Amino acid sequence: MKTRFNTVDIRAVIAEINANYLGMRVNNVYDIDTKTYLIRLQKPDTKAILLVESGVRIHSTDFEWPKNNMPSGFAMKCRKHLKSRRLTQVKQLGADRIVDIQFGSDEAAYHLIVELYDRGNIILTDHEYTILNLLRFRTADAEDVKIAVRERYPVENARPPEPLISLER
C-alpha cells in the first residue's frame, strides 16, 4: 500500500477534483484527528467529501469517517472562512508536492494550501496568501522563510514545473 503521494499522484488527484468538484460549495469542515480533515462539498443534486491529510494525501472519499465530537481550533477557523464558499480552483504549486485549493474568487478568495511532504502542513490563507491559520508553525531555514500567522505564504518559492515525459531523444 502506498504511504505518500508523489508528483504523478498529485497531478492525477488534481485532475479528478477539477473535473468533478469545481463549483461545489463547502458544506462543512470536520477533523478526524490532529492532521486529517474532511471537507464536505455539495451542489443541489450532488454531495462529495474531500479527505486532506497533512503530509500524506488528498482525495475524494465515500467512506463515513468518525469525526471528533469537539472540532479543533483549525477546523473552526476553516469553517468560519470556507463555509458556503465555492471550490473554484485546485492546482499544484510548481513541481513541489504542494496543493493550492482555492475557495471563492477575487477579494473574497481563500486558499487551503496542503503540503504533502515531510511532516506536511495545512495552511489557510486569504486572497493575497497572507496566512490566517495553520496546523504547524515552522521556519524554513534553507529559504529563511517564516511560516506563521499574518506572514505571507511564499508561493513564488515553488520549483518551476517540469514535464512528466520528455519527447527529446
Side-chain angles (χ1 to χ4, degrees):
M1 186 171 123
K2 190 168 229 162
T3 57
R4 296 221 178 252
F5 272 25
N6 61 28
T7 302
V8 176
D9 297 325
I10 291 169
R11 287 190 181 185
V13 165
I14 288 172
E16 178 205 353
I17 293 170
N18 280 325
N20 298 316
Y21 306 119
L22 288 188
M24 295 180 92
R25 291 190 183 275
V26 176
N27 185 21
N28 216 341
V29 179
Y30 302 98
D31 56 331
I32 297 171
D33 57 39
T34 57
K35 62 181 213 161
T36 309
Y37 292 83
L38 296 174
I39 302 171
R40 191 176 296 271
L41 302 168
Q42 70 178 35
K43 276 185 178 175
D45 56 340
T46 315
K47 291 184 179 181
I49 300 172
L50 284 182
L51 182 135
V52 178
E53 187 172 356
S54 175
V56 182
R57 61 190 171 155
I58 175 173
H59 58 81
S60 60
T61 181
D62 292 327
F63 185 75
E64 270 303 316
W65 290 86
K67 302 168 198 72
N68 281 341
N69 292 335
M70 192 66 190
S72 67
F74 185 77
M76 296 289 279
K77 192 81 163 181
C78 286
R79 287 178 182 184
K80 175 183 173 185
H81 293 289
L82 302 181
K83 209 166 183 178
S84 78
R85 300 243 184 244
R86 279 190 198 281
L87 175 61
T88 53
Q89 185 182 29
V90 181
K91 65 182 180 183
Q92 183 176 6
L93 294 182
D96 292 332
R97 287 181 290 168
I98 302 173
V99 178
D100 179 0
I101 307 170
Q102 181 180 330
F103 299 93
S105 56
D106 302 326
E107 303 270 317
Y110 290 95
H111 297 265
L112 198 63
I113 297 170
V114 183
E115 297 178 346
L116 296 170
Y117 57 84
D118 193 26
R119 286 175 37 218
N121 210 347
I122 303 175
I123 302 161
L124 178 66
T125 72
D126 65 7
H127 68 284
E128 295 177 325
Y129 290 97
T130 302
I131 298 171
L132 302 172
N133 204 356
L134 66 165
L135 274 186
R136 194 169 60 83
F137 297 89
R138 67 177 174 82
T139 302
D141 296 327
E143 297 124 22
D144 196 33
V145 175
K146 186 177 174 186
I147 307 293
V149 174
R150 291 190 290 282
E151 296 287 332
R152 189 176 180 286
Y153 187 82
V155 289
E156 60 282 343
N157 287 5
R159 290 182 299 143
E162 301 161 5
L164 289 178
I165 300 172
S166 176
L167 299 177
E168 297 174 8
R169 292 180 184 223

